[in-house]
Structures are given as structure tokens and as C-alpha cells.
Amino acid sequence: MEFVLLIFLPVIFALFVPLAYKRIKGIHTGWFVLLVPLVLFGYYAGFLPLVMDGGHAISELQWIPSLGIVFTSYIDGLSLLFTLLITGIGSLVVLYSVFYMDSKKENLGSFYVYLLIFMTAMLGVVQSDNTMTLYLFWELTSISSFLLIGFWYTKDKSRFGALKSMMITVFGGLMMLGGFILLNIMGGTFSIRELIAQAPELANQPYFMLALVLILLGAFTKSAQFPFYIWLPDAMEAPTPVSAYLHSATMVKAGIYLVARFTPIFGSSSVWIWLVTGIGLLTLFWGSFFAVKQTDLKAILAFSTVSQLGLIMSLLGAGAISYHTTAAIFSFATYAAIFHLINHATFKGGLFMIAGIIDHETGTRDIRKLGGLMSIMPISFTVALIGSLSMAGLPPFNGFLSKEMFLESMAALQHFELYNFDTWGILFPIVAWIASVFTFTYSLYFVLKTFIGQKKFEQLPKQPHEAPIGMLAAPMILASLVIIIFFIPNLVGKWIIKPAVMAVQPTLYASPSAVDIHVKAWHGFGSVGLWLTVGVIVFGTLLYLTIPKWQPFYRIQPDRLSLNAGYDALMRGSERGMNRVSRLYMTGKIRTYLLYMFAFLSVSIIAVLFIKDAFIVDMNSFAAITLYGVLNGLVLLLSVGFVVFAKSRLAAIIALGGVGYSVALFFVIFKAPDLALTQLVIETVSVALFLLAFKHLPALQTHGETASHKVVNLIVSLSVGVMVTLVALSSHSQKLIPSISQYYKDTVATEAGGGNIVNVILVDYRGFDTLFEIAVLAIAGIAVLGMIRLRVSRKEPTDENK
């Protein structure tokens, strides 16, 4: 079996979840769902030896081979790392949800279906080698996360958060699609590996910079970078298992993955380095600064996620400098980015679960009502303390190692003498250090305000108690990983991080073993990172102890000047503007809509004819103009004139019949009796039907059209006539392929056994086509008859357009 099919295993399994939910009441549905990520994690872990040796595996499933679009499962160091995070953290999240989601109160059938669809989408994103299928899965993450965030759809905040996340991430996805299309135009392929192989040539293409910006927009919106981060705090309205999954290991990491995957293509650009590093650092600072403002536990974690994503993003930007210099510190930055990505998944997943436990066991997440829970919830406190101190960057936790690597990488940026980094580079370590101070502060703020200090149990909606061991199991496993990774960082580096670094920088390393980086907890007193960390601890502690004095500073900023207020104003303005535009062109009159369609058709086709130089007239192929032809043409024109200027519906119908019979006479003149007979029959039937329904039709009346409206109608009518004439002349004068008429002449008698070529074509060659056309006309006729009868029965005004 092709292992690409395993991407679809979760969504296939989702088909059976509603059945299990309805039929098997005694067992929580999550226990069945848990099998999926566990099986996938075990299977994909088997690829570790392969990627550790620098190899890769690929499996393909054709989708649209003519366009080069295939479903691909491409397993290298980077995609395997994300795959293990998706399935590994996914297993723990499902385990946690078994105890968190009440099987009697929640619609678990829908919940797990959405979760499994999301899992498939994320696996598709990180394993796709084809940009088109990557985009498909990318948007599927937006849709499935919309369903997950809005799971409690009866709440206004859930619906608002879900819509906000989808609006922003789908916007970014569309931008990213534009970037992919430009890459295809430049490189002639949708394959990411083939595009990476053409990276030097692509850098000289005119669309290169535009593609770079568009793809970064996709990454920044998905990974909640400034200013697009505003959707992430509102997404906290999702159930806590969803928050833990989306914000620790999956959705918000998709943008990180995208930047890492496309670094080999764009890393040589100074714009890429400045944007990724600069926006990342700005996001880090912004998120860490505003995290201390929040009073909701999940909101604090949401802003902390924003800041941590900015940290990883800035490291990836700094790592791209290794394409310009041999200084090892910048390769070190890419290693640090991957390392912190893993560390963040472990401590942030556990912290989200603890926030959910506190809400579950106390009835609130408001940090102003919490305090003194340590003695009541000792296990939760221990897990929260480990996660928070790791997030703050203290030993002996894994966050300390990657945080020191981050500070050293940012300090090295000021020594990069290219693209003005030697001038402006000093800002990077300063901003990084200040942001780290606030990171330390909000980490203490989260854990100490909740578990230490004055007890406020009387303010809690529920009597607090420790969570059941089943609910604590998943965060305890993650907390254990936080400590274990600190003591074995190089083992993790050998098996997971170095293969991923090689995938991000494939031209710099021949194999993962060539990534010569050894992580140590102690670098001596001469280490820059050590003294920066000491400063972070000192100033971060001071800030925490003085929070009541400076926290009111946040109230200086009026709410109306926030980015959220800007988003709300944009949405309201767009809605009002679209309503005005809709009222302007949605008149409710059929003739108005026909006017739009005919105007668009005539303008577009005439423009194409002349832009492509397709208008050619060959006078030699025209038949001679006879006296009968001229007279019949005059009759035709007069009939058309009567139709237009007729004052009664009966006169218009009769004149319209004159038009049809004149066309039939043309067929006679040009010796096409079969067509003439068919046309006569059609015209006779049409006129008869009109007369049959005549008494039910309303009388003709004017519709208050002004002179300008009539001029517009005249222009559109003439343009349609000109368009049809030009197309007819061009089609007649140039034939790129032989006419099919000869085929009919040769086979109509031998194959179909008929003598009338028109009838045989209609009945034999286009039998089903004609049958379905008749069916459509019959349905349309029944609908029209029903509408007429309805109008007559209600005795409404006779305006046919109302």
C-alpha cells in the first residue's frame, strides 16, 4: 500500500465516528479515536532511522496528472518532525479530551469528526511536495479549525472567534496560492523539491519578490504574526483540547513550517531575512508585552503563543543568513528554531491542558478570582510550574536551552556586515532581550497568581479540587518530556533536529551528521546567553513583583485604537459598503441582469478578438449576394424593428415569428432545406406556445426608463450584435481544424441508417444531449407555468419583473 493513503486515514475513520457515538453509549467515543493518532505515530516513527541517515521517502497518488497535480507524502527530516508532533501531541490531546469532554452533554460525534478532518489536513500540509495539494490541505485546516473553534456555536463569542480566524487565515491562504502560481510560472512545476533545485534561477525572475511576499502573507496569517495575530486570542473560545492541539503542535505551526520549507528558495533574499526576522521579533515583543495585560488564563497563553511563534520565526529568518556567510552562529539559529519548536509544543500543550483543568475544576479561568490552589491541586501546580519555568527559560527545563540559543543568535546579528545589519542589527538583541524579560514575567504571572498567594475560594463558582488522574495523565507526560529533553538534548538533536535542519538548509549539509552543533546547558561565564539570561531573571522578577504598579499602564491605550477595533471597523465598513453596492446593482429586474451579462460578454469577447488578433475576414469564402437575399434581409431587419418598437405583446410575438421565418428563408436560399424545415417547425411551435399562453401574460408597459437608460440599452444591444457578427465572420474565415460535417456525411447512412442528417444528429449522435435538453426545457416550462399561476392566484401587480 502506498503510504500517502495514510494521510487520509483520520478522515476515513471519521466516517465511522458518528456511528460509534450513537450505537456504543457505554464507551467514550474518544477511546476509539485515540487509536488513529497512536497508530500513525507508531508508523511514522519508523522513518526516524531513514531520515537520520539523510534519506527520504516519497509516495504519490495521482489526482490531475495532466496538470502535474498529485497527492504526495514526502517524508524528510522536516516533514517527519511535524508529522510526529501532529500525531504524538494529537494522541495526548485525544486522551485528555476523553476526560475533559462530557459524553452526555457534548456532541462528541461532531467533535471528533472535526478533529480527525483537521488531523488529515495538517498531515497533508506538512507532507505535500506539491504546492497545489499543499494549498488544498492548507485551506482544509482553515475550514476544520473554523468548525472546531465554533464547536460551541450557541455562544456568540465562539461564532465570532471562528469567523475571525477563518477570515484572516483564508485571506492569507489566497495570497499564498498566488505565490504558488507565480512559482509555477517561473519554475514550470508544482513540485517543491524541483523548485528548490531551481532556487538560483528563480531568484533572477521578475515575479520572485512578489511570490516571496505573497507566501509570507500566508505564513504570517496562519502563524499569528503581527498584525494578523488578532484571531488567535479569540480562538480561545474553542474547547480546551482544541486550543491545546491547535496552538501547541498544529495550526499555528503551519506558518512556521511554510517558512522553513521555502527557506531554501527564498533564503538568499535580503527581503526574506529582514521580513521574517523583523516581523518575528516584533511579534515576540508585542505578544509578550500584552500577555501580562490579560486576566483570562487561556488569553495569557494565547498571547504567550503569539510571542513564542515570533521567537521561532525570528530564528528562522536569522538562520537564512547562513546562505550568505559561513559563520556557524547562523546555522545555529536554524537549529535553535527547530529545537524551540519542539520545546514549545511540550510545555505549551501541558499549560493549555492545565488551564482547562483549572476551568473544569473551579468553574473559572479569571486569574483575578484564582489564587492559593497549590495545596488543593498539587499535581496541576507541579505541571504548571514545570511548563511555566520552561517557557520562562529557566533550567533544568528544555526551554532554557533553546532560549539561550535564541539570545546568542540575536546577539550575533549585529555582526553580520550585509544588508545594513551592521547598522540596524543592534536593535535585534535589544528587542529580543526586552521581550524575554516580559516572557519571564508573564510565565510567573500565569503560575504564581493562580496557585500561590491568597486563597479566594469563596469567589469560585465551584468548590476546587484536584482533577482525576486520567485528565492529568496527558499534561504529566508532556511535563516529563520538558525535563527529559533538558538532560538529553543532543539525543533529540541527533534523531529529530539535525535531519530537520538539513531539510531547511539542504545546500549546506551533505547529511544530518554534518550539522556540527552540540547543545550544552553550561557555556562558561563568558557566554553572552548566560548574562542575558541573568538579566532576564532579575528584571523579569522585578517586573512581576511590581505588576500592580505598572499594569494600569495598559489602560492608556484606548480600545478604539487597537488592532481588534480596526478589524471590527473593517468588517462593519465592508458589510455596509457591500450592502450599498448590492442595492445599487441588484434592482430585481430581469432586464437589468441581462444587461450586465450581455455587456460583459460583448466587451470581453470583442477585446479578446482584437488583443489576440483573431478577427480575420476572408471575403473569398463568402457566397454571392443575391436579390432574394437582400430582400429577405430587409424583411428580417424590419421584423426586428417591429419587435423592438411594438406597443403590444401580440404585435411583438408576430414580429418575432417574422424574424424566425426570415432566417428559415435564408436556409432555403443557401440550399439547406433540412435546417429550413427544422427552423420553420421551431418557429411555428414557438409562436403557437406564445399564443397559447398569451392570455396569461401581463400587458406590456413602460418601466420608467430614462433617456440615459435607453442609450445604455442601445449601446449594449449594438455591442452584442457587433460581437456576434465578428465572431461569425471570424469563425467562417478561419478554420484551425477540419469541419466535422464530413464525418457526418460519411457515417450518417452507414452507421446510423438515416437519410436526414439533421434528424440523425439530433436523435442518434446527440440522443442523450437532446433528451436532457428537453428535460431541462420541460422543467423550466413547468416552473414558469407555476409562477404564472401563483401570480394570478394572488392577484398581485402585473409588473413582470416583481
Side-chain angles (χ1 to χ4, degrees):
M1 182 186 74
E2 292 287 348
F3 61 83
V4 64
L5 297 175
L6 290 177
I7 293 175
F8 303 97
L9 178 63
V11 77
I12 293 172
F13 191 86
L15 299 175
F16 303 98
V17 167
L19 183 64
Y21 173 63
K22 289 186 177 179
R23 298 293 182 187
I24 307 174
K25 296 292 185 182
I27 303 176
H28 196 285
T29 311
W31 289 116
F32 302 106
V33 176
L34 181 59
L35 293 173
V36 176
L38 279 177
V39 168
L40 290 175
F41 182 82
Y43 178 81
Y44 285 118
F47 286 97
L48 281 171
L50 174 70
V51 300
M52 193 179 71
D53 292 334
H56 67 266
I58 187 166
S59 173
E60 292 184 346
L61 178 66
Q62 295 291 334
W63 181 21
I64 312 176
S66 60
L67 298 179
I69 299 176
V70 294
F71 287 107
T72 311
S73 177
Y74 177 66
I75 304 293
D76 65 350
L78 186 64
S79 58
L80 181 60
L81 162 65
F82 276 88
T83 298
L84 294 179
L85 284 178
I86 293 164
T87 53
I89 301 292
S91 301
L92 295 176
V93 165
V94 174
L95 173 63
Y96 175 77
S97 71
V98 170
F99 299 93
Y100 187 88
M101 303 295 286
D102 193 323
S103 60
K104 296 179 181 176
K105 297 180 180 177
E106 306 287 0
N107 183 2
L108 297 182
S110 299
F111 176 77
Y112 286 114
V113 167
Y114 302 156
L115 196 68
L116 289 170
I117 293 173
F118 180 79
M119 195 176 291
T120 279
M122 279 303 305
L123 290 174
V125 166
V126 301
Q127 293 186 19
S128 290
D129 179 59
N130 190 285
T131 53
M132 289 299 103
T133 51
L134 191 158
Y135 171 73
L136 173 74
F137 287 117
W138 184 278
E139 294 300 25
L140 189 57
T141 63
S142 298
I143 296 170
S144 51
S145 63
F146 169 81
L147 296 171
L148 286 169
I149 295 169
F151 179 69
W152 288 325
Y153 58 86
T154 54
K155 298 180 180 178
D156 290 340
K157 288 185 176 180
S158 295
R159 295 197 302 273
F160 178 77
L163 182 62
K164 192 174 185 178
S165 70
M166 192 168 76
M167 291 290 286
I168 295 176
T169 56
V170 167
F171 160 76
L174 288 173
M175 297 298 103
M176 185 187 73
L177 176 63
F180 287 164
I181 292 172
L182 290 178
L183 281 178
N184 175 262
I185 292 172
M186 292 187 288
T189 177
F190 290 120
S191 168
I192 298 173
R193 288 176 300 141
E194 293 176 12
L195 290 169
I196 291 174
Q198 302 177 45
E201 294 79 14
L202 293 177
N204 298 319
Q205 295 283 339
Y207 297 135
F208 178 78
M209 202 55 65
L210 181 58
L212 181 155
V213 173
L214 292 175
I215 289 175
L216 278 185
L217 276 174
F220 288 167
T221 51
K222 204 71 160 183
S223 280
Q225 298 297 291
F226 184 89
F228 306 108
Y229 73 90
I230 54 175
W231 68 265
L232 198 145
D234 287 297
M236 292 299 106
E237 295 301 324
T240 297
V242 174
S243 301
Y245 196 37
L246 266 62
H247 303 152
S248 68
T250 53
M251 183 171 172
V252 296
K253 297 283 175 62
I256 300 289
Y257 168 81
L258 193 72
V259 170
R261 178 59 80 193
F262 282 84
T263 291
I265 297 176
F266 298 110
S268 60
S269 167
S270 61
V271 176
W272 178 270
I273 297 171
W274 272 104
L275 282 178
V276 176
T277 312
I279 295 294
L281 268 184
L282 177 59
T283 306
L284 167 62
F285 170 76
W286 197 271
S288 61
F289 179 69
F290 282 99
V292 192
K293 177 185 177 181
Q294 312 306 316
T295 55
D296 182 284
L297 290 180
K298 287 177 72 174
I300 298 170
L301 293 178
F303 275 88
S304 75
T305 298
V306 171
S307 70
Q308 299 291 314
L309 293 171
L311 185 154
I312 300 169
M313 193 68 81
S314 64
L315 282 171
L316 286 174
I321 294 177
S322 58
Y323 284 93
H324 302 271
T325 177
T326 56
I329 188 66
F330 297 115
S331 302
F332 190 70
T334 302
Y335 189 99
I338 303 296
F339 191 23
H340 196 72
L341 188 143
I342 298 170
N343 296 339
H344 177 257
T346 54
F347 65 69
K348 187 52 65 68
L351 287 175
F352 264 114
M353 292 178 187
I354 291 299
I357 286 173
I358 293 170
D359 187 21
H360 203 270
E361 306 305 333
T362 67
T364 182
R365 299 196 309 257
D366 192 333
I367 202 167
R368 294 168 296 187
K369 299 177 182 178
L370 298 170
L373 292 175
M374 181 180 67
S375 58
I376 303 295
M377 308 173 72
I379 301 177
S380 298
F381 167 68
T382 305
V383 173
L385 186 67
I386 292 172
S388 298
L389 296 184
S390 180
M391 186 163 61
L394 290 180
F397 310 109
N398 55 3
F400 167 74
L401 300 175
S402 51
K403 181 62 74 66
E404 277 216 329
M405 297 170 77
F406 161 70
L407 292 173
E408 291 180 5
S409 300
M410 290 299 110
L413 278 175
Q414 58 185 314
H415 304 301
F416 178 54
E417 297 178 351
L418 195 62
Y419 305 137
N420 293 325
F421 271 88
D422 50 341
T423 304
W424 297 97
I426 187 62
L427 293 176
F428 288 84
I430 293 174
V431 175
W433 185 81
I434 295 173
S436 298
V437 171
F438 279 102
T439 300
F440 187 89
T441 305
Y442 72 62
S443 299
L444 296 186
Y445 177 63
F446 174 83
V447 66
L448 299 185
K449 289 285 185 184
T450 306
F451 290 98
I452 309 294
Q454 183 182 0
K455 297 178 181 177
K456 307 172 185 175
F457 297 163
E458 71 283 357
Q459 300 183 30
L460 301 178
K462 295 169 62 176
Q463 182 63 33
H465 54 81
E466 184 59 281
I469 191 65
M471 194 181 292
L472 288 166
M476 287 169 64
I477 293 171
L478 289 169
S480 303
L481 288 174
V482 167
I483 299 174
I484 291 171
I485 292 174
F486 175 81
F487 290 104
I488 57 166
N490 293 302
L491 187 63
V492 177
K494 177 183 177 182
W495 282 84
I496 300 176
I497 302 176
K498 289 185 178 180
V501 171
M502 182 186 163
V504 179
Q505 299 173 324
T507 58
L508 303 182
Y509 303 107
S511 69
S513 59
V515 182
D516 187 20
I517 295 175
H518 188 78
V519 180
K520 294 187 293 185
W522 177 252
H523 298 85
F525 289 106
S527 168
V528 175
L530 172 66
W531 296 111
L532 288 174
T533 300
V534 170
V536 166
I537 295 172
V538 172
F539 283 91
T541 305
L542 287 174
L543 277 180
Y544 172 73
L545 294 175
T546 57
I547 281 179
K549 294 183 178 179
W550 59 268
Q551 204 174 32
F553 175 77
Y554 291 114
R555 290 198 286 270
I556 294 176
Q557 181 198 10
D559 289 339
R560 67 177 183 278
L561 297 181
S562 65
L563 288 170
N564 278 311
Y567 170 84
D568 294 339
L570 179 65
M571 290 296 105
R572 286 195 298 269
S574 301
E575 188 176 346
R576 283 198 296 267
M578 290 303 104
N579 282 335
R580 287 176 186 166
V581 172
S582 296
R583 284 195 294 271
L584 187 64
Y585 72 87
M586 295 294 287
T587 61
K589 297 177 180 176
I590 296 173
R591 59 168 55 81
T592 306
Y593 305 142
L594 290 174
L595 200 68
Y596 299 149
M597 288 187 281
F598 286 136
F600 173 77
L601 280 175
S602 58
V603 170
S604 59
I605 292 177
I606 291 173
V608 169
L609 276 175
F610 284 93
I611 290 173
K612 295 294 183 183
D613 198 20
F615 177 59
I616 298 173
V617 178
D618 181 9
M619 303 293 286
N620 296 325
S621 62
F622 289 177
I625 299 175
T626 63
L627 177 61
Y628 299 116
V630 172
L631 293 175
N632 193 47
L634 291 174
V635 172
L636 178 63
L637 290 175
L638 288 172
S639 300
V640 171
F642 275 120
V643 172
V644 174
F645 296 104
K647 299 297 183 182
S648 70
R649 197 177 295 280
L650 180 60
I653 293 171
I654 293 173
L656 193 63
V659 173
Y661 290 125
S662 300
V663 172
L665 279 177
F666 271 121
F667 290 138
V668 173
I669 293 171
F670 290 110
K671 298 181 175 55
D674 293 344
L675 287 176
L677 182 60
T678 304
Q679 178 71 19
L680 286 172
V681 171
I682 290 173
E683 285 304 320
T684 303
V685 171
S686 299
V687 172
L689 286 175
F690 265 122
L691 294 175
L692 186 64
F694 183 76
K695 71 172 184 177
H696 298 297
L697 295 177
L700 279 180
Q701 57 182 281
T702 60
H703 299 278
E705 291 169 321
T706 62
S708 59
H709 286 134
K710 292 180 179 177
V711 170
V712 172
N713 292 345
L714 178 63
I715 293 173
V716 173
S717 303
L718 290 176
S719 66
V720 171
V722 170
M723 180 265 292
V724 173
T725 304
L726 293 180
V727 170
L729 292 175
S730 298
S731 302
H732 181 76
S733 301
Q734 50 184 342
K735 292 184 170 61
L736 300 178
I737 56 176
S739 171
I740 197 173
S741 58
Q742 188 59 46
Y743 168 78
Y744 288 131
K745 292 177 184 174
D746 295 340
T747 60
V748 68
T750 58
E751 300 291 336
N756 187 316
I757 192 169
V758 175
N759 293 342
V760 170
I761 290 173
L762 292 176
V763 175
D764 291 81
Y765 292 93
R766 297 180 54 204
F768 280 111
D769 188 20
T770 305
L771 176 65
F772 293 135
E773 285 176 355
I774 293 171
V776 170
L777 289 173
I779 294 170
I782 292 170
V784 170
L785 181 62
M787 291 168 64
I788 292 173
R789 287 182 176 278
L790 183 65
R791 288 160 54 85
V792 171
S793 63
R794 289 184 178 178
K795 299 180 179 179
E796 291 180 347
T798 54
D799 188 342
E800 64 192 29
N801 296 312
K802 293 184 179 178

